[in-house]
Amino acid sequence: MTTEPPPQQAVPTVRQKIVLAAAHLLEAEGPEAVSARAVAARAGVPTPSIFRIFGDTDGLLEEVAEHGFRHYLAAKAEVLAGSDPVQALRDAWDLHVRFGLDHPRYYALVYGQVRPGHLPRAGLRTAARLRGMVARVAAAGRLRTSVESATQVLHSGGVGTVLTLTALPEDERDLRISAASREMALAALTLPPAAAGAAAGVTTPGGAVAYGARALTAALGREGTELLSPAERALLAEWLDRLSGAHRSAGS
């Protein structure tokens, strides 16, 4: 994954050479080996080139993380092709956990060094892709809570599972922990097809309004609201957000 340039480019650019060199050092020796001097030596470029192109080593590591996550995000996109949006979430969880365990050093670049209010670009793209998948569940009328809430629960559950398993010796990692966490999260957040529109409070007027608001929010997010002005879109979003909590205010 780190030793060859993209197939469509026979000769990598200076930027790509630096990223590939840093990625090789990361995988071979860990993050402590990714110094500007070591990367420059491996890439065959002057050390100042790194600071000129990336600003600092943190900027370089951000791009290395994106390099490592590129294949994972491409595979995650394929999961979206499935017809069952809840099964797609299940498959995406498993893909996330497998990637984290197979590539712990890339994963740690994004999720292993917590900085309040900051998530590397690769993490933001991963979360955005997850939100899109959750929105499909909402559009199908099978989400019990808001898209944002469900996205945060699934994101934190998946990341926590990977970090917990990664901290264990390889021979002690039990993937049944991941499967159990996944199913508990999905059971709490989603409805089975037959129950959509009939269970978990949807039989009450407030529940029906809440689920309808969530489905409309998800559909508008996918289809767009080009006919509305920015002010109208903001007002509609506020109304739908308020209505999506109607089942809670109704006491269901």
Side-chain angles (χ1 to χ4, degrees), residues 107-179:
Y107 197 85
L109 284 183
V110 176
Y111 298 112
Q113 303 176 43
V114 177
R115 290 163 51 189
H118 174 77
L119 185 64
R121 292 190 301 268
L124 292 173
R125 288 193 175 95
T126 299
R129 192 69 56 82
L130 174 61
R131 189 191 184 284
M133 300 179 80
V134 173
R136 286 185 65 211
V137 178
R142 295 179 60 187
L143 196 64
R144 295 180 186 271
T145 184
S146 70
V147 170
E148 292 303 329
S149 178
T151 300
Q152 290 175 13
V153 169
L154 290 168
H155 184 259
S156 61
V159 171
T161 297
V162 173
L163 295 179
T164 298
L165 292 174
T166 301
L168 297 173
E170 287 193 39
D171 59 353
E172 294 182 18
R173 295 173 186 170
D174 186 352
L175 289 180
R176 289 176 296 184
I177 294 172
S178 174

Side-chain angles (χ1 to χ4, degrees), residues 15-141:
R15 187 185 199 96
Q16 291 167 338
K17 287 173 66 176
I18 293 172
V19 170
L20 290 170
H24 183 277
L25 288 170
L26 174 72
E27 289 190 296
E29 303 178 44
E32 62 280 354
V34 187
S35 67
R37 180 174 297 180
V39 172
R42 181 168 187 87
V45 301
T47 300
S49 297
I50 293 176
F51 300 102
R52 176 175 57 82
I53 295 173
F54 301 98
D56 53 26
T57 52
D58 285 342
L60 171 58
L61 289 174
E62 280 249 355
E63 197 140 342
V64 171
E66 288 196 88
H67 167 82
F69 270 62
R70 190 171 298 125
H71 298 286
Y72 160 65
L73 289 172
K76 194 170 185 178
E78 294 179 5
V79 171
L80 287 169
S83 59
D84 184 339
V86 175
Q87 183 60 45
L89 283 179
R90 183 175 285 110
D91 294 340
W93 177 294
D94 291 344
L95 180 66
H96 183 96
V97 171
R98 285 199 304 272
F99 174 81
L101 295 180
D102 289 344
H103 304 284
R105 285 171 171 165
Y106 281 117
Y107 197 85
L109 284 183
V110 176
Y111 298 112
Q113 303 176 43
V114 177
R115 290 163 51 189
H118 174 77
L119 185 64
R121 292 190 301 268
L124 292 173
R125 288 193 175 95
T126 299
R129 192 69 56 82
L130 174 61
R131 189 191 184 284
M133 300 179 80
V134 173
R136 286 185 65 211
V137 178

